[in-house]
Amino acid sequence: MHPIIFIVFLPLLAAIVAGLGNRMLGNTIAKSLTTGALFISCILSWPIFIGFLTGSEAASVVPVMKWVESGTLSFDWALRVDTLTAVMLVVITTVSALVHLYSWGYMEEDPDQPRFFAYLSLFTFAMLMLVTADNLVQMFFGWEGVGLASYLLIGFWFKKPSANAAAIKAFVVNRVGDLGFMLGIFGTWLVFQTTSIPEILAAAPGMTGSTIGFLGYRMHTMDILCILLFIGAMGKSAQLGLHTWLPDAMEGPTPVSALIHAATMVTAGVFMVCRLSPMFEAAPIALTMVIFVGAATCFFAATIGTTQWDIKRVIAYSTCSQLGYMFFAAGVGAYGVAMFHLFTHAFFKALLFLGAGSVIHAMHHEQDMRYYGGLRKHIPLTFWAMMAGTLAITGLGVYHLGVGFAGFWSKDAIIEVAFARGTDMANFAFWMGVTAALLTSFYSWRLMFLTFWGKPRWIESEHIQHSVHKTPEQAGEDTTGGYHPHESPLTMLVPLGVLTIGAVFAGQVFAPWFLDSAEFWGESIFYNEPLIHAMHAVPYSVKYAAFIVMVLGFIGAWFAYIRNTSIPGKFVAQFRVVHNFVFNKWYFDELYNLIFVKPAFWLGGIFWKKGDEGTIDRFGPNGAAWLVQRGALVAKKVQSGYLNSYALIMLLGLVAAITWVLF
C-alpha cells in the first residue's frame, strides 16, 4: 500500500477517535494519539520529498474509491503524488506535528484538550486532502474542510465573545471567496467537460483566445475562469479585499495561529494557483490581476504591521504581506519561486508564531508589547529562536558569499524575478516588494526591540500583576512587582529548536532544486526556464536592493526603539492622520461595516419584523393557532355534558341534513 494513504488518513482517524472519545479517553491518550499520528505522517512524507529531490520518485496517482457518476460527470477519489504535492506534504505534516507537540505545553491548563487536538488533526487532514486532490471537486472538498476546521479552531474558546465573532468573520469572508471558486469550478467543467486536473491542464493551452458568454458579454474563456478561481484564492489566502478575517483569527489559541498562517489554510490559495499554472499561463489578464493584488497586499499589510502593539497581530499582518510576495511571484510566471517562498516561510513563520506563544506563555497571556521589555535575559532560548526567525523573515544574507537565512534565498528571488519579467505590472510588483522588504525589517526589529530589549515594563501591566496574586508587601523591593517571566516547558522549546534549523538552513539547502531544476518540478507546475535564467542575470543593484533596505529598516527600528525612544511618539504627533489611517488598518473594517454589514442588518431586520413576524407568523403559525384557539373555545361550549343538549344538537343536525337533501 502506498504510504500516501497513511499520510492522509492517519490524522483523520486520530481526529475521529480523539473527538468521539473526548474526556472518556482523557487528555494524555487523546494528545498521544493525535500527535503520534502526525509524527508518523511526517516521517512518511520526507522520504517521498527526498525521492523527488534525488529523482528516484516518479509522479503517481493512488486510487481510493469510486466517488461520483452522474451522466457525463464522473470522477474518482484519488490521491495525486508529484513534486508539488511532495513539497506541501513535508510543509503540512512537519509544521502540524510540531504544533501538536508544542500544544502539549501551551494548552496544558485547558480543560478541553481532547477537542482541541481533534480539531488540529481534522485541520491537517483537510489540508492534506486539498493538496493531494486529483480533481477539482476533491480539491474543493479539502478547501471547505479547511474552512470548517478553521472556524472550529478560531472559535475554540467559544465562551469568549471576541473568539466567536472572529470565527464567524473568518467563515463568512471565506464564503465570499468560495463563491468565486465554485463558479470557477462550474465554469471549468462547462468548458472542459471534466473535473480531472491533468486533463484540464493538458487542454488549457489550446483554449488561448477562445471566448465565452458571461454576464451578457463575450469574454476570454481562460481569463474569466482563472479570475473566478483566483477570487477563491484571495479569500483563503487573505489577499487585499478579502483579508479582513486574518488578523481577527488571532483570537484562537497561538498554536492555531501558527498552523493557519504557516502551513495550512492561507497557503491553499498559492498552492491552487501553482497547481493550475498552465491554466493561468493561458490567461494573461488573470495573471496581471494576480500580480497587482499580490503586490498591493504585500505593501498594504506591511504598513499595518509597523503600527500594531499586539505581538500576534504584527506577525499576522506579516503573513498577509508574505503571501502577497508569493502571489506576485506566481503572477509573473515564476511558480517555482512562489512555492520556494511558501516552503521557507512555513519554517520561519511557524517559528515566529510559536516563539510569540512562548513569550505570551511567559507573560501570563499578555500580548501587548508595550508591557514587555528586557525579556532576553529571562527567556533566552525563546529569544534566540525568535532572533533566527527575524533574521530569516528580514532576509539576512550576502549574495557574493552565497550564504543567508531562509528568507534571503526565497524572498530576494521573488524581487529579482519580478524585475527580470520586465512588464509594467511586474515593475510595480518589484518596487512594492522592495518597499515591503524595508517595512518588514522595520516592524520585525521593532517587535524584537520592544519585546527583548529595554527596561522591563510588565510592572505596568495590571493583567500580569493581578495574575501572580502577590501584594506589594510580598513583592518587597523587587522592581518587577514580584513577577519573573519564565522559560517555556520542553514540549514547547523542542519545536522551536527544530523550526530554528529550518529557518536558518531551508533556503541554503534547497535553493538549487526549487529555483534551478526543471527536472525537479517535472510537470507538476509550469516552469519558465528562460525567466529563471533572466532572474540570475539581473544587475547587482537589484540583487542587493533587498539587503540594503533590510539594513535601513534595522537602523530605523534601532534608532526609534533603542537609541531614542521618544521618536515614535513625536512621529505619531506630527503625522497623526497618517498614523491613525494605518493603525486602523486603512479603515477596511469600518468601510465594510458601512457598505455591507449595516445594510445587511437593516435588510434582515425588515425581513424579520415585516416578513417573518408580520406576515408569515401572523397569517401562518400564529394565525392558525388563533383559529384553533377560537374554535376550541366554541367547541368547548358545545361539550356541556347534558344528554338533552346532545339530543337537541343531533335533532338540529338531522333537520339540517334533510333540508339540504330536499331543497
Side-chain angles (χ1 to χ4, degrees):
M1 187 177 292
H2 198 287
I4 192 65
I5 299 292
F6 297 99
I7 293 171
V8 172
F9 290 104
L10 273 177
L12 175 63
L13 180 62
I16 292 172
V17 174
L20 296 180
N22 207 293
R23 296 181 184 179
M24 181 178 68
L25 291 177
N27 293 341
T28 303
I29 295 177
K31 292 190 294 186
S32 300
L33 279 173
T34 52
T35 306
L38 259 299
F39 270 96
I40 293 172
S41 291
C42 177
I43 291 168
L44 293 174
S45 296
W46 276 95
I48 295 176
F49 175 64
I50 294 171
F52 281 102
L53 289 176
T54 59
S56 61
E57 190 83 26
S60 61
V61 177
V62 179
V64 177
M65 66 177 185
K66 283 283 184 183
W67 199 0
V68 171
E69 287 190 20
S70 177
T72 58
L73 179 62
S74 175
F75 50 84
D76 298 335
W77 192 348
L79 307 177
R80 169 162 291 277
V81 183
D82 57 15
T83 304
L84 188 61
T85 304
V87 171
M88 294 303 296
L89 287 179
V90 295
V91 166
I92 294 165
T93 58
T94 302
V95 173
S96 185
L98 294 174
V99 166
H100 274 71
L101 179 59
Y102 179 93
S103 299
W104 279 59
Y106 193 87
M107 302 295 289
E108 185 178 9
E109 298 177 2
D110 196 283
D112 210 2
Q113 295 177 52
R115 181 168 64 90
F116 178 76
F117 279 84
Y119 288 170
L120 283 183
S121 294
L122 178 65
F123 200 127
T124 307
F125 162 73
M127 192 65 193
L128 290 170
M129 279 300 307
L130 193 159
V131 301
T132 57
D134 190 47
N135 60 72
L136 291 177
V137 179
Q138 189 178 327
M139 180 183 286
F140 187 73
F141 174 84
W143 193 274
E144 292 305 304
V146 169
L148 168 64
S150 68
Y151 170 79
L152 296 173
L153 283 168
I154 294 169
F156 176 75
W157 287 321
F158 55 85
K159 294 182 181 179
K160 185 179 175 184
S162 58
N164 282 326
I168 293 171
K169 186 176 182 179
F171 196 79
V172 171
V173 173
N174 272 274
R175 297 294 72 72
V176 175
D178 290 352
L179 175 61
F181 192 48
M182 284 190 292
L183 291 174
I185 292 175
F186 295 154
T188 302
W189 181 81
L190 180 66
V191 170
F192 295 99
Q193 290 297 298
T194 181
T195 62
S196 170
I197 292 175
E199 293 178 19
I200 292 169
L201 299 185
M207 296 299 296
T208 304
S210 66
T211 61
I212 189 173
F214 185 73
L215 299 178
Y217 297 93
R218 298 300 299 180
M219 305 182 71
H220 287 286
T221 304
M222 297 310 298
D223 279 319
I224 191 63
L225 293 181
C226 290
I227 287 172
L228 289 170
L229 292 169
F230 179 61
I231 290 172
M234 288 174 64
K236 199 65 70 182
S237 295
Q239 292 300 281
L240 186 62
L242 295 177
H243 67 280
T244 53
W245 67 269
L246 191 64
D248 291 9
M250 298 303 98
E251 291 293 337
T254 300
V256 174
S257 304
L259 196 58
I260 290 177
H261 286 247
T264 53
M265 185 169 175
V266 296
T267 61
V270 179
F271 166 82
M272 184 268 288
V273 171
C274 292
R275 169 62 83 199
L276 303 180
S277 52
M279 284 184 69
F280 280 85
E281 283 298 307
I285 296 175
L287 279 181
T288 302
M289 178 179 174
V290 174
I291 298 173
F292 176 78
V293 171
T297 304
C298 178
F299 170 75
F300 154 79
T303 62
I304 299 174
T306 62
T307 62
Q308 301 301 301
W309 294 112
D310 186 313
I311 188 171
K312 286 172 66 176
R313 283 183 178 266
V314 173
I315 304 173
Y317 278 108
S318 169
T319 299
C320 198
S321 181
Q322 298 302 310
L323 287 164
Y325 276 108
M326 298 175 206
F327 274 113
F328 81 67
V332 300
Y335 303 98
V337 179
M339 287 302 301
F340 188 32
H341 195 50
L342 185 155
F343 180 79
T344 61
H345 175 263
F347 292 104
F348 61 72
K349 186 51 59 69
L351 176 60
L352 287 171
F353 262 116
L354 297 185
S358 184
V359 172
I360 294 167
H361 183 269
M363 300 302 292
H364 272 270
H365 299 283
E366 176 63 74
Q367 296 181 197
D368 193 325
M369 295 186 295
R370 287 172 290 191
Y371 300 116
Y372 290 170
L375 290 178
R376 71 185 189 280
K377 298 177 182 178
H378 298 275
I379 47 174
L381 297 178
T382 299
F383 162 70
W384 285 111
M386 290 203 69
M387 176 64 77
T390 300
L391 293 173
I393 193 172
T394 56
L396 179 63
V398 181
Y399 171 75
H400 276 92
L401 297 179
V403 294
F405 286 77
F408 163 76
W409 293 96
S410 56
K411 188 171 70 175
D412 286 26
I414 291 175
I415 293 173
E416 292 167 18
V417 81
F419 182 87
R421 184 68 176 182
T423 64
D424 291 340
M425 192 56 71
N427 288 332
F428 167 75
F430 167 76
W431 287 110
M432 288 293 98
V434 171
T435 307
L438 170 66
L439 297 173
T440 300
S441 179
F442 178 82
Y443 67 65
S444 297
W445 287 110
R446 172 180 178 264
L447 183 152
M448 291 295 291
F449 292 145
L450 284 171
T451 303
F452 295 106
W453 273 270
K455 67 176 183 177
R457 299 182 298 278
W458 57 81
I459 191 173
E460 302 169 16
S461 171
E462 294 182 2
H463 169 75
I464 294 177
Q465 295 311 317
H466 287 171
S467 67
V468 298
H469 306 297
K470 287 189 176 183
T471 65
E473 290 76 16
Q474 289 174 315
E477 299 298 322
D478 192 341
T479 58
T480 65
Y483 175 71
H484 294 280
H486 54 88
E487 192 60 273
S488 298
L490 199 60
T491 52
M492 294 172 66
L493 293 177
V494 169
L496 291 181
V498 175
L499 291 169
T500 298
I501 295 172
V504 175
F505 297 110
Q508 188 91 39
V509 172
F510 296 107
W513 286 279
F514 278 89
L515 298 182
D516 298 316
S517 177
E519 293 77 15
F520 169 66
W521 288 111
E523 296 182 357
S524 64
I525 62 171
F526 178 85
Y527 187 82
N528 191 334
E529 198 161 0
L531 180 61
I532 299 301
H533 288 317
M535 176 189 77
H536 291 306
V538 298
Y540 288 135
S541 58
V542 175
K543 292 184 178 294
Y544 277 97
F547 177 81
I548 292 169
V549 296
M550 181 269 294
V551 173
L552 292 176
F554 169 80
I555 294 172
W558 181 81
F559 263 102
Y561 295 98
I562 298 294
R563 182 74 175 82
N564 185 355
T565 55
S566 66
I567 291 177
K570 293 177 180 177
F571 179 88
V572 171
Q574 183 70 30
F575 301 99
R576 187 166 300 278
V577 174
V578 175
H579 175 268
N580 288 342
F581 178 73
V582 176
F583 180 75
N584 288 287
K585 302 162 286 187
W586 292 31
Y587 293 106
F588 266 95
D589 282 308
E590 290 79 1
L591 184 64
Y592 285 180
N593 188 57
L594 181 65
I595 297 176
F596 300 115
V597 178
K598 287 185 177 180
F601 273 100
W602 174 78
L603 188 60
I606 291 177
F607 284 130
W608 171 32
K609 291 294 185 181
K610 303 293 185 183
D612 195 7
E613 290 186 348
T615 304
I616 297 174
D617 285 352
R618 180 182 177 187
F619 296 105
N622 292 346
W626 180 84
L627 286 174
V628 170
Q629 183 184 33
R630 301 303 298 177
L633 290 174
V634 173
K636 185 173 72 171
K637 293 178 180 179
V638 175
Q639 302 295 325
S640 64
Y642 293 106
L643 183 61
N644 56 352
S645 298
Y646 297 154
L648 177 62
I649 292 171
M650 291 174 63
L651 180 61
L652 291 174
L654 182 61
V655 170
I658 293 172
T659 302
W660 183 80
V661 171
L662 292 176
F663 297 99

